[in-house]
Amino acid sequence: MGTLGCIDDMLRRDKENRELRKIGRERMKDTRNRLVGLHNSYDINPGISPEELEKIKLQTREKEEMERKYILKTRLLFIGIALIIILLIWIGFSLFL
């Protein structure tokens, strides 16, 4: 007798969850369409002309390239110092042992 109530409760919750998933899916579609629409529009900021926007994009690319070069130089320096330290330790053990 007690299981009948549990089954009814489970079916009711399943129905509510189905409706919530449907609402959530619609919200996600609306959000996605709105963001895709913003991404595709060139008039993101009406105060910026297309030439200025291209200039900003170019400066951003240049800055990213400079950052990549800096990170590469830093990694190479770190690897070089680590190799020198390992070499010195190896030479020290070889001479004194």
Side-chain angles (χ1 to χ4, degrees):
M1 292 283 179
T3 59
L4 195 56
C6 292
I7 293 172
D8 287 340
D9 184 48
M10 182 183 66
L11 292 174
R12 180 185 51 80
R13 281 186 280 139
D14 283 346
K15 182 179 178 183
E16 290 173 357
N17 287 339
R18 251 183 268 124
E19 292 170 0
L20 288 174
R21 281 195 307 263
K22 194 180 292 184
I23 291 170
R25 227 178 278 127
E26 290 172 2
R27 284 184 186 164
M28 288 290 283
K29 285 181 184 177
D30 291 341
T31 303
R32 182 185 175 279
N33 290 337
R34 184 172 45 86
L35 291 175
V36 167
L38 284 176
H39 180 70
N40 289 337
S41 68
Y42 284 101
D43 195 19
I44 296 171
N45 188 352
I48 298 177
S49 68
E51 293 83 18
E52 291 174 355
L53 189 61
E54 289 299 320
K55 183 179 176 183
I56 292 171
K57 287 181 182 179
L58 178 65
Q59 289 173 348
T60 305
R61 277 189 234 121
E62 289 174 352
K63 184 178 178 183
E64 289 173 351
E65 183 65 30
M66 287 175 50
E67 288 175 356
R68 270 182 266 169
K69 287 179 182 179
Y70 176 75
I71 290 172
L72 178 65
K73 288 179 184 177
T74 306
R75 286 181 183 169
L76 290 175
L77 180 66
F78 178 75
I79 291 171
I81 291 172
L83 288 174
I84 290 172
I85 290 173
I86 291 171
L87 182 66
L88 289 175
I89 290 172
W90 182 70
I91 290 173
F93 278 130
S94 297
L95 291 176
F96 296 112
L97 292 179

